[in-house]
Amino acid sequence: MNAQQPSFAECLRDTARSAVHLEMRDDYGDNERFAAWRAGSRIAWDDRSSWWRPFHDQIAAAVARGVSIRRVRIISEPVSEYIRWEHYMTRANLAAGEEVRWVPRRLSSDLVLPCNDYWLFDDRLARIHHFAGDGSLVEDEFSCEPAVLKLFAASFETAWERGITHEDYVV
């Protein structure tokens, strides 16, 4: 990643109204927490210090400033093991103040969606994620191109409208 590109924390800190995140992969590669979950480890949700991360601080601070933070996950069904884990872990996102919806891929065939996951900050800056086939992040690309921002804003909103709230989506 280019040193001049802003970090996620900087992007969020400079956001005044909304940050939206569209996710469309069924697997984002292995990580320590996912491996522990697969091995049977479960979160002690009563012990916030055991699961709260700096990311949650950033989200909670933005929400406290009045920023709306929404996430939509386009997923295949039956869901992958990774998506089952993400659904389980979404409780932390909600606790930080995010709103999360799920869209089964079978319900998204008529949606126009970009090929990559992205964050969109105040409809002014897109942080586009490029992943390898194994789910690992290759790089982030940033865009302020009006056509890209317009497409991302519209695609997110149509997916959001189609989405099932986290509380109502059962994996």
Side-chain angles (χ1 to χ4, degrees):
M1 185 160 91
N2 184 333
Q4 276 99 338
Q5 293 178 329
S7 68
F8 174 79
E10 291 167 329
C11 292
L12 196 56
R13 187 188 60 228
D14 295 341
T15 299
R17 296 180 331 276
S18 84
V20 300
H21 191 194
L22 181 69
E23 296 179 351
M24 296 183 289
R25 296 183 58 90
D26 290 319
D27 191 317
Y28 289 88
D30 210 357
N31 65 62
E32 229 176 72
R33 294 179 301 145
F34 178 42
W37 180 83
R38 277 195 331 252
S41 178
R42 295 300 179 258
I43 302 291
W45 292 109
D46 294 349
D47 179 13
R48 183 172 144 159
S49 66
S50 72
W51 55 267
W52 193 264
R53 306 220 180 287
F55 170 81
H56 300 117
D57 284 328
Q58 295 163 6
I59 296 296
V63 169
R65 292 193 325 269
V67 176
S68 167
I69 301 185
R70 299 178 295 156
R71 180 186 305 253
V72 170
R73 291 181 171 135
I74 310 288
I75 53 163
S76 299
E77 292 179 316
V79 299
S80 67
E81 187 176 33
Y82 193 96
I83 293 299
R84 280 196 303 279
W85 172 70
E86 273 196 332
H87 190 273
Y88 172 76
M89 293 300 294
T90 295
R91 181 171 175 177
N93 298 71
L94 300 173
E98 272 192 48
E99 295 177 75
V100 179
R101 292 189 182 177
W102 304 81
V103 180
R105 205 169 300 281
R106 65 183 164 73
L107 299 178
S108 64
S109 297
D110 61 335
L111 300 180
V112 176
L113 300 168
C115 296
N116 297 300
D117 291 10
Y118 61 85
W119 277 95
L120 181 61
F121 302 96
D122 284 339
D123 296 339
R124 65 168 174 73
L125 176 65
R127 183 176 183 164
I128 305 161
H129 304 302
H130 296 284
F131 292 96
D134 67 0
S136 62
L137 182 65
V138 174
E139 68 179 345
D140 284 333
E141 171 189 356
F142 290 81
S143 178
C144 296
E145 292 294 321
V148 170
L149 301 177
K150 183 178 178 180
L151 171 66
F152 284 9
S155 66
F156 182 87
E157 291 306 326
T158 57
W160 182 257
E161 289 171 17
R162 188 77 48 96
I164 301 165
T165 64
H166 176 73
E167 296 77 14
D168 291 334
Y169 188 73
V170 179
V171 296

PDB file of all heavy atoms in Angstrom, residues 91-107:
ATOM      1  N   ARG A  91     -21.858  -9.719  16.433  1.00  0.00           N
ATOM      2  CA  ARG A  91     -22.320  -9.153  17.709  1.00  0.00           C
ATOM      3  C   ARG A  91     -21.384  -8.020  18.158  1.00  0.00           C
ATOM      4  O   ARG A  91     -21.833  -7.016  18.702  1.00  0.00           O
ATOM      5  CB  ARG A  91     -22.386 -10.255  18.765  1.00  0.00           C
ATOM      6  CG  ARG A  91     -22.878  -9.781  20.093  1.00  0.00           C
ATOM      7  CD  ARG A  91     -23.136 -10.947  21.014  1.00  0.00           C
ATOM      8  NE  ARG A  91     -23.499 -10.486  22.348  1.00  0.00           N
ATOM      9  CZ  ARG A  91     -23.824 -11.292  23.326  1.00  0.00           C
ATOM     10  NH1 ARG A  91     -23.878 -12.599  23.131  1.00  0.00           N
ATOM     11  NH2 ARG A  91     -24.113 -10.795  24.508  1.00  0.00           N
ATOM     12  N   ALA A  92     -20.099  -8.170  17.899  1.00  0.00           N
ATOM     13  CA  ALA A  92     -19.128  -7.126  18.265  1.00  0.00           C
ATOM     14  C   ALA A  92     -19.331  -5.869  17.422  1.00  0.00           C
ATOM     15  O   ALA A  92     -19.262  -4.753  17.946  1.00  0.00           O
ATOM     16  CB  ALA A  92     -17.705  -7.655  18.105  1.00  0.00           C
ATOM     17  N   ASN A  93     -19.592  -6.029  16.120  1.00  0.00           N
ATOM     18  CA  ASN A  93     -19.855  -4.873  15.253  1.00  0.00           C
ATOM     19  C   ASN A  93     -21.081  -4.111  15.750  1.00  0.00           C
ATOM     20  O   ASN A  93     -21.082  -2.882  15.801  1.00  0.00           O
ATOM     21  CB  ASN A  93     -20.102  -5.317  13.806  1.00  0.00           C
ATOM     22  CG  ASN A  93     -18.923  -6.010  13.193  1.00  0.00           C
ATOM     23  OD1 ASN A  93     -18.618  -7.140  13.565  1.00  0.00           O
ATOM     24  ND2 ASN A  93     -18.261  -5.372  12.258  1.00  0.00           N
ATOM     25  N   LEU A  94     -22.123  -4.856  16.098  1.00  0.00           N
ATOM     26  CA  LEU A  94     -23.347  -4.235  16.578  1.00  0.00           C
ATOM     27  C   LEU A  94     -23.105  -3.492  17.894  1.00  0.00           C
ATOM     28  O   LEU A  94     -23.612  -2.380  18.095  1.00  0.00           O
ATOM     29  CB  LEU A  94     -24.449  -5.282  16.753  1.00  0.00           C
ATOM     30  CG  LEU A  94     -24.845  -6.049  15.495  1.00  0.00           C
ATOM     31  CD1 LEU A  94     -25.820  -7.171  15.844  1.00  0.00           C
ATOM     32  CD2 LEU A  94     -25.426  -5.134  14.435  1.00  0.00           C
ATOM     33  N   ALA A  95     -22.321  -4.104  18.773  1.00  0.00           N
ATOM     34  CA  ALA A  95     -22.015  -3.467  20.060  1.00  0.00           C
ATOM     35  C   ALA A  95     -21.274  -2.151  19.864  1.00  0.00           C
ATOM     36  O   ALA A  95     -21.437  -1.205  20.638  1.00  0.00           O
ATOM     37  CB  ALA A  95     -21.197  -4.408  20.936  1.00  0.00           C
ATOM     38  N   ALA A  96     -20.468  -2.063  18.801  1.00  0.00           N
ATOM     39  CA  ALA A  96     -19.721  -0.834  18.515  1.00  0.00           C
ATOM     40  C   ALA A  96     -20.609   0.235  17.871  1.00  0.00           C
ATOM     41  O   ALA A  96     -20.223   1.401  17.809  1.00  0.00           O
ATOM     42  CB  ALA A  96     -18.534  -1.136  17.608  1.00  0.00           C
ATOM     43  N   GLY A  97     -21.789  -0.162  17.367  1.00  0.00           N
ATOM     44  CA  GLY A  97     -22.707   0.803  16.794  1.00  0.00           C
ATOM     45  C   GLY A  97     -22.991   0.645  15.314  1.00  0.00           C
ATOM     46  O   GLY A  97     -23.726   1.445  14.733  1.00  0.00           O
ATOM     47  N   GLU A  98     -22.427  -0.376  14.693  1.00  0.00           N
ATOM     48  CA  GLU A  98     -22.717  -0.643  13.279  1.00  0.00           C
ATOM     49  C   GLU A  98     -24.113  -1.217  13.128  1.00  0.00           C
ATOM     50  O   GLU A  98     -24.627  -1.875  14.037  1.00  0.00           O
ATOM     51  CB  GLU A  98     -21.748  -1.695  12.715  1.00  0.00           C
ATOM     52  CG  GLU A  98     -20.476  -1.178  12.171  1.00  0.00           C
ATOM     53  CD  GLU A  98     -19.727  -2.239  11.372  1.00  0.00           C
ATOM     54  OE1 GLU A  98     -20.344  -2.897  10.515  1.00  0.00           O
ATOM     55  OE2 GLU A  98     -18.522  -2.391  11.622  1.00  0.00           O
ATOM     56  N   GLU A  99     -24.685  -0.999  11.957  1.00  0.00           N
ATOM     57  CA  GLU A  99     -25.885  -1.718  11.537  1.00  0.00           C
ATOM     58  C   GLU A  99     -25.423  -2.694  10.464  1.00  0.00           C
ATOM     59  O   GLU A  99     -24.625  -2.329   9.597  1.00  0.00           O
ATOM     60  CB  GLU A  99     -26.911  -0.767  10.944  1.00  0.00           C
ATOM     61  CG  GLU A  99     -27.471   0.241  11.927  1.00  0.00           C
ATOM     62  CD  GLU A  99     -28.426   1.184  11.231  1.00  0.00           C
ATOM     63  OE1 GLU A  99     -29.560   0.760  10.920  1.00  0.00           O
ATOM     64  OE2 GLU A  99     -28.011   2.325  10.964  1.00  0.00           O
ATOM     65  N   VAL A 100     -25.912  -3.936  10.517  1.00  0.00           N
ATOM     66  CA  VAL A 100     -25.457  -4.961   9.587  1.00  0.00           C
ATOM     67  C   VAL A 100     -26.659  -5.681   8.993  1.00  0.00           C
ATOM     68  O   VAL A 100     -27.587  -6.054   9.719  1.00  0.00           O
ATOM     69  CB  VAL A 100     -24.538  -5.990  10.289  1.00  0.00           C
ATOM     70  CG1 VAL A 100     -24.088  -7.081   9.326  1.00  0.00           C
ATOM     71  CG2 VAL A 100     -23.327  -5.288  10.918  1.00  0.00           C
ATOM     72  N   ARG A 101     -26.615  -5.847   7.678  1.00  0.00           N
ATOM     73  CA  ARG A 101     -27.632  -6.626   6.972  1.00  0.00           C
ATOM     74  C   ARG A 101     -26.960  -7.668   6.097  1.00  0.00           C
ATOM     75  O   ARG A 101     -25.822  -7.502   5.663  1.00  0.00           O
ATOM     76  CB  ARG A 101     -28.522  -5.721   6.112  1.00  0.00           C
ATOM     77  CG  ARG A 101     -29.394  -4.807   6.960  1.00  0.00           C
ATOM     78  CD  ARG A 101     -30.404  -4.078   6.133  1.00  0.00           C
ATOM     79  NE  ARG A 101     -31.179  -3.179   6.982  1.00  0.00           N
ATOM     80  CZ  ARG A 101     -32.109  -2.371   6.528  1.00  0.00           C
ATOM     81  NH1 ARG A 101     -32.394  -2.340   5.224  1.00  0.00           N
ATOM     82  NH2 ARG A 101     -32.773  -1.586   7.358  1.00  0.00           N
ATOM     83  N   TRP A 102     -27.725  -8.730   5.819  1.00  0.00           N
ATOM     84  CA  TRP A 102     -27.265  -9.874   5.041  1.00  0.00           C
ATOM     85  C   TRP A 102     -28.153 -10.018   3.811  1.00  0.00           C
ATOM     86  O   TRP A 102     -29.378  -9.931   3.921  1.00  0.00           O
ATOM     87  CB  TRP A 102     -27.334 -11.146   5.875  1.00  0.00           C
ATOM     88  CG  TRP A 102     -26.561 -11.057   7.152  1.00  0.00           C
ATOM     89  CD1 TRP A 102     -26.971 -10.468   8.327  1.00  0.00           C
ATOM     90  CD2 TRP A 102     -25.242 -11.528   7.384  1.00  0.00           C
ATOM     91  NE1 TRP A 102     -25.971 -10.566   9.268  1.00  0.00           N
ATOM     92  CE2 TRP A 102     -24.899 -11.213   8.721  1.00  0.00           C
ATOM     93  CE3 TRP A 102     -24.315 -12.195   6.592  1.00  0.00           C
ATOM     94  CZ2 TRP A 102     -23.673 -11.543   9.286  1.00  0.00           C
ATOM     95  CZ3 TRP A 102     -23.090 -12.526   7.155  1.00  0.00           C
ATOM     96  CH2 TRP A 102     -22.782 -12.206   8.480  1.00  0.00           C
ATOM     97  N   VAL A 103     -27.536 -10.255   2.663  1.00  0.00           N
ATOM     98  CA  VAL A 103     -28.287 -10.479   1.435  1.00  0.00           C
ATOM     99  C   VAL A 103     -27.850 -11.815   0.836  1.00  0.00           C
ATOM    100  O   VAL A 103     -26.721 -11.931   0.352  1.00  0.00           O
ATOM    101  CB  VAL A 103     -28.070  -9.351   0.397  1.00  0.00           C
ATOM    102  CG1 VAL A 103     -28.887  -9.632  -0.868  1.00  0.00           C
ATOM    103  CG2 VAL A 103     -28.415  -7.992   0.967  1.00  0.00           C
ATOM    104  N   PRO A 104     -28.725 -12.813   0.888  1.00  0.00           N
ATOM    105  CA  PRO A 104     -28.392 -14.064   0.212  1.00  0.00           C
ATOM    106  C   PRO A 104     -28.183 -13.790  -1.282  1.00  0.00           C
ATOM    107  O   PRO A 104     -28.944 -13.055  -1.906  1.00  0.00           O
ATOM    108  CB  PRO A 104     -29.631 -14.937   0.456  1.00  0.00           C
ATOM    109  CG  PRO A 104     -30.232 -14.378   1.719  1.00  0.00           C
ATOM    110  CD  PRO A 104     -29.984 -12.900   1.622  1.00  0.00           C
ATOM    111  N   ARG A 105     -27.135 -14.385  -1.820  1.00  0.00           N
ATOM    112  CA  ARG A 105     -26.783 -14.158  -3.222  1.00  0.00           C
ATOM    113  C   ARG A 105     -27.953 -14.451  -4.161  1.00  0.00           C
ATOM    114  O   ARG A 105     -28.149 -13.780  -5.158  1.00  0.00           O
ATOM    115  CB  ARG A 105     -25.561 -15.029  -3.572  1.00  0.00           C
ATOM    116  CG  ARG A 105     -24.733 -14.513  -4.701  1.00  0.00           C
ATOM    117  CD  ARG A 105     -23.404 -15.266  -4.822  1.00  0.00           C
ATOM    118  NE  ARG A 105     -22.547 -15.188  -3.669  1.00  0.00           N
ATOM    119  CZ  ARG A 105     -21.772 -14.146  -3.349  1.00  0.00           C
ATOM    120  NH1 ARG A 105     -21.758 -13.080  -4.103  1.00  0.00           N
ATOM    121  NH2 ARG A 105     -21.017 -14.180  -2.262  1.00  0.00           N
ATOM    122  N   ARG A 106     -28.793 -15.428  -3.819  1.00  0.00           N
ATOM    123  CA  ARG A 106     -29.940 -15.766  -4.650  1.00  0.00           C
ATOM    124  C   ARG A 106     -30.940 -14.617  -4.734  1.00  0.00           C
ATOM    125  O   ARG A 106     -31.748 -14.561  -5.660  1.00  0.00           O
ATOM    126  CB  ARG A 106     -30.618 -17.041  -4.155  1.00  0.00           C
ATOM    127  CG  ARG A 106     -31.224 -16.901  -2.782  1.00  0.00           C
ATOM    128  CD  ARG A 106     -31.836 -18.213  -2.261  1.00  0.00           C
ATOM    129  NE  ARG A 106     -32.057 -18.158  -0.843  1.00  0.00           N
ATOM    130  CZ  ARG A 106     -33.006 -17.448  -0.252  1.00  0.00           C
ATOM    131  NH1 ARG A 106     -33.847 -16.751  -0.976  1.00  0.00           N
ATOM    132  NH2 ARG A 106     -33.130 -17.443   1.055  1.00  0.00           N
ATOM    133  N   LEU A 107     -30.896 -13.691  -3.775  1.00  0.00           N
ATOM    134  CA  LEU A 107     -31.793 -12.531  -3.781  1.00  0.00           C
ATOM    135  C   LEU A 107     -31.138 -11.303  -4.403  1.00  0.00           C
ATOM    136  O   LEU A 107     -31.727 -10.221  -4.409  1.00  0.00           O
ATOM    137  CB  LEU A 107     -32.241 -12.186  -2.354  1.00  0.00           C
ATOM    138  CG  LEU A 107     -33.010 -13.255  -1.594  1.00  0.00           C
ATOM    139  CD1 LEU A 107     -33.346 -12.775  -0.191  1.00  0.00           C
ATOM    140  CD2 LEU A 107     -34.271 -13.655  -2.349  1.00  0.00           C
TER     141      LEU A 107
END
